Amino acid sequence: MKPFSYERAASPAEAAAAAARRPGARFIAGGTNLLDLMKLQIEVPSHLIDVNGLALDTIEPTPEGGLRVGALVSNTALAADPRVRRDYALLTRALLAGASGQLRNKATTAGNLLQRTRCPYFYDTAQPCNKRRPGSGCAAIGGFTRQLGVIGTSDACIATHPSDMAVALRALDAVVETVQADGATRTIPMADFHRLPGETPHIETALQPGELITAVVLPRPLGGRHIYRKVRDRASYAFALVSVGAVVQPDGTGRVALGGVAHKPWRVEEAETELPRGARAVTERLLAGARPTRDNAFKVTLVERTLGSVLAEARG
Ligand SMILES: Cc1cc2nc3c(=O)[nH]c(=O)nc-3n(C[C@H](O)[C@H](O)[C@H](O)COP(=O)(O)OP(=O)(O)OC[C@H]3O[C@@H](n4cnc5c(N)ncnc54)[C@H](O)[C@@H]3O)c2cc1C
Ligand code: SF4
């Protein structure tokens, strides 16, 4: 491991200002992703800003009838919150489908959104990877691509975003709240938070350097049936090959977001108008323009079948 300095931030604004002063700095929350990457020297921060002392670990009601989830609320606490279980069951189910109990106890809401891809070539520092080293190339293209993306990919990167929680937040239209280095705050809709890879796959989100996530806001509850179905190679402790997060209303309308297929949680609102016509019609619109590889073309069929089973469950 490379040497680095460490400080505990005293307030969110100070944390953001400190990060902006030190270009090689990173925030550390639960550390369950960042420390693994530091051990492999994929992330080599010169300075760590520990945000765990910031009072960002509560879940509060909003005046609009939703919930504000502090950036440091653990995945376990968020999944277990009675209000979340009752009104945002999709989020509870997605969280519980991720990682393990021990990891969820440490993992935070902000850290989960910002976890890095699980593309195997990203972790192999002997291989070219535009995300790890911009401009070096992409070993995955033409390599082993079973786990990788089928839509929204580029000639520079075909990785997927690994978070289960983010799929639920996208379907629920959550909003990310942040503070910037100058103390200004802003909100970023989940739809715009994660980026497609394009020519710059190392820039993964809409965050500016040093910008700190302070909370994630859930809008008013949607009602309906909330289902999260994750298909993976092992029954636990594995990332999604494909996941489907859905909120389905009694009249058959609803929302659908996918995990395991793109560089961001994948949702196409127009495709949701096809929900009453069934899984095939929705999948055709959701995955229009998909560019699967020989290894992962099965994901297109898997999306349709997983969505079909989700819709059958929603119909009872
Ligand atoms: C073996 C294993 C299996 C896993 N399986 C799954 C799975 O199936 N599904 C799934 O979704 N996840 C899975 N995970 C990932 C896990 O959910 C993440 O590691 C965790 O959510 C990261 O949260 P953290 O608080 O530990 O983040 P950290 O490791 O502390 O930080 C991650 C990133 O977020 C940044 N950061 C942290 N807080 C803030 C903030 N407030 N503002 C701005 N930046 C911030 C850090 O600088 C860092 O870049 C798995 C992890 C492991 C190790
Ligand atoms: S797909 Fe993306 S993360 Fe994987 S090797 Fe290529 S550039 Fe790197």
Side-chain angles (χ1 to χ4, degrees):
M1 195 182 278
K2 297 262 202 256
F4 56 87
S5 48
Y6 170 91
E7 73 175 277
R8 287 198 178 91
S11 72
E14 275 181 40
R21 279 196 301 273
R22 306 280 291 261
R26 287 278 186 285
F27 301 120
I28 182 159
T32 60
N33 190 224
L34 184 61
L35 290 182
D36 281 355
L37 295 169
M38 287 171 68
K39 288 177 197 165
L40 294 166
Q41 298 195 0
I42 293 166
E43 294 261 16
V44 283
S46 57
H47 186 65
L48 286 187
I49 301 167
D50 189 337
V51 295
N52 285 288
L54 307 179
L56 299 174
D57 56 354
T58 56
I59 305 175
E60 309 285 353
T62 65
E64 295 75 28
L67 288 177
R68 174 173 286 102
V69 180
L72 289 163
V73 172
S74 73
N75 288 180
T76 298
L78 183 56
D81 186 280
R83 296 160 295 182
V84 177
R85 286 167 56 113
R86 186 189 61 215
D87 295 331
Y88 306 96
L90 175 60
L91 181 54
T92 290
R93 294 191 171 121
L95 284 160
L96 295 180
S100 66
Q102 281 174 315
L103 284 159
R104 292 193 298 267
N105 288 344
K106 287 299 288 177
T108 63
T109 303
N112 190 312
L113 280 179
L114 294 173
Q115 62 177 293
R116 309 294 304 275
T117 185
R118 258 61 192 184
C119 170
Y121 300 97
F122 176 74
Y123 287 86
D124 182 349
T125 52
Q127 299 283 345
C129 169
N130 288 320
K131 191 181 276 300
R132 180 169 24 78
R133 197 146 50 82
S136 61
C138 172
I141 296 175
F144 183 64
T145 54
R146 177 176 151 75
Q147 294 277 351
L148 301 182
V150 297
I151 192 154
T153 54
S154 74
D155 292 341
C157 180
I158 58 172
T160 58
H161 195 273
S163 167
D164 292 295
M165 183 191 79
V167 175
L169 293 181
R170 178 68 183 91
L172 295 169
D173 270 340
V175 171
V176 179
E177 292 186 345
T178 71
V179 60
Q180 294 174 293
D182 60 2
T185 57
R186 66 168 177 148
T187 56
I188 309 169
M190 267 301 287
D192 303 328
F193 185 77
H194 293 102
R195 293 165 46 111
L196 291 179
E199 292 303 306
T200 53
H202 59 292
I203 305 173
E204 294 171 346
T205 68
L207 293 178
Q208 296 297 315
E211 192 167 0
L212 180 84
I213 297 177
T214 50
V216 171
V217 176
L218 302 172
R220 289 169 62 84
L222 293 169
R225 291 283 300 267
H226 289 218
I227 301 171
Y228 188 74
R229 184 77 44 85
K230 177 176 178 181
V231 184
R232 45 191 157 172
D233 282 332
R234 278 195 311 260
S236 76
Y237 219 50
F239 291 89
L241 285 168
V242 157
S243 68
V244 174
V247 178
V248 184
Q249 302 297 342
D251 64 2
T253 61
R255 299 178 178 191
V256 176
L258 304 178
V261 298
H263 204 251
K264 58 189 287 184
W266 192 255
R267 181 171 171 210
V268 178
E269 277 82 344
E270 302 77 61
E272 292 161 3
T273 59
E274 304 286 353
L275 271 168
R277 293 183 54 219
R280 174 156 299 174
V282 178
T283 305
E284 279 171 7
R285 294 280 291 273
L286 253 176
L287 296 184
R291 294 199 308 170
T293 65
R294 194 190 51 195
D295 294 342
N296 69 17
F298 73 93
K299 286 194 177 189
V300 175
T301 315
L302 194 54
V303 166
E304 183 186 325
R305 291 185 182 167
T306 309
L307 179 59
S309 103
V310 163
L311 296 181
E313 183 181 331
R315 284 195 297 268

